[in-house]
Amino acid sequence: MTDRLRAFGRALRGGTAFLTRLPTGTREGDWEAFVSRPSVFPLVGSVVGGLAALPLLAVGVLPAPTVAFGYLLAIGLLTGIHHLDGVADLGDAAVVHGDADRRREVLKDTTTGVGALFAVAVVVAGLALAGLGLAALPVGVAVAVAVAAEVGAKLGMALLACLGTASHEGFGSRVTGAVGPSSVASPVAVALPVALLGWPSPVAAVTLGGALVGACLPWWWARRNLGGVSGDVFGAANEIGRLVGLHAGVIAWTLS
């Protein structure tokens, strides 16, 4: 039992280091422990979601645009921009003409093109507008949506790791090669309780489902156009999953 707890602690440190900017003091073996335990994805997501939701506690106290900016800033400070870089790279790959090999070349190119600029602008603007939508909700509902969106996005990343196939050697192959379909149950089990936040309102469940669908969109595109997933696809899944989940949750509450 002690060895299992230590291994899980290493996995948690590795996952926190990869998914956030929080200081972790990683050690040798943490990365390997993390990629072999996909349940860590949604677990770290719940921590990130909870911390990112702190500015939302000012709903009704501060002006809505200020609360929205605080949420956007919290996401940036907690998670950094390396996942957003995946959005940029996929944006450039999406607009280039050519086959899968040509698109994979663009992914590795350090030049920033118009596709990257547009993709990042859409995601950042969408996140800011989602924050504005959260600021219009009751505090408890806003927090539930923020947490569920983060967990759903990370669950999507876990499913990519368990079910995805890498397009080439690199980050994607290191993650997808560590686990398989038999590992899907554990991240799903960790994520599902979040759907009960705000019960009996289904807003958290809708948010979680929306984030999962959003995270799968880059995966679907990559299978058709890249021949599999890569590190950039994982990053884009995180950002787009969060974005779709947030908007799904705000819409669900508005229409309820």
Side-chain angles (χ1 to χ4, degrees):
M1 179 63 70
T2 302
D3 290 341
R4 289 185 178 181
L5 289 175
R6 288 176 179 171
F8 187 78
R10 290 195 297 270
L12 193 58
R13 280 198 307 267
T16 303
F18 172 65
L19 295 169
T20 78
R21 299 295 295 172
L22 296 173
T24 57
T26 55
R27 304 170 188 173
E28 184 178 356
D30 287 353
W31 169 257
E32 290 76 13
F34 164 52
V35 295
S36 65
R37 291 171 176 81
S39 60
V40 172
F41 278 99
L43 185 60
V44 174
S46 65
V47 175
V48 174
L51 292 175
L54 290 177
L56 301 176
L57 299 179
V59 167
V61 178
L62 297 177
T66 303
V67 174
F69 178 71
Y71 174 72
L72 177 64
L73 187 61
I75 290 292
L77 292 176
L78 285 167
T79 64
I81 62 171
H82 65 291
H83 297 300
L84 195 60
D85 181 65
V87 174
D89 288 340
L90 256 64
D92 274 341
V95 300
V96 73
H97 296 287
D99 57 11
D101 290 334
R102 173 58 181 149
R103 293 182 191 276
R104 287 194 292 267
E105 289 178 9
V106 172
L107 287 178
K108 300 175 183 179
D109 194 341
T110 58
T111 303
T112 301
V114 65
L117 294 175
F118 179 75
V120 170
V122 168
V123 169
V124 173
L127 183 60
L129 291 172
L132 196 59
L134 291 176
L137 304 181
V139 174
V141 176
V143 171
V145 170
V147 173
E150 208 66 45
V151 172
K154 302 305 185 290
L155 176 59
M157 297 177 78
L159 295 187
L160 258 70
C162 296
L163 304 175
T165 302
S167 60
H168 57 276
E169 289 295 323
F171 175 89
S173 63
R174 292 171 62 193
V175 177
T176 58
V179 290
S182 61
S183 300
V184 166
S186 60
V188 171
V190 170
L192 279 182
V194 175
L196 299 178
L197 292 176
W199 185 261
S201 170
V203 64
V206 173
T207 302
L208 187 70
L212 184 58
V213 170
C216 289
L217 291 177
W219 181 14
W220 171 80
W221 182 87
R223 288 182 62 186
R224 291 171 58 91
N225 296 281
L226 299 176
V229 302
S230 66
D232 289 320
V233 176
F234 274 90
N238 182 64
E239 300 300 314
I240 297 175
R242 177 197 298 121
L243 181 61
V244 174
L246 289 171
H247 282 275
V250 171
I251 292 171
W253 178 260
T254 303
L255 297 180
S256 63

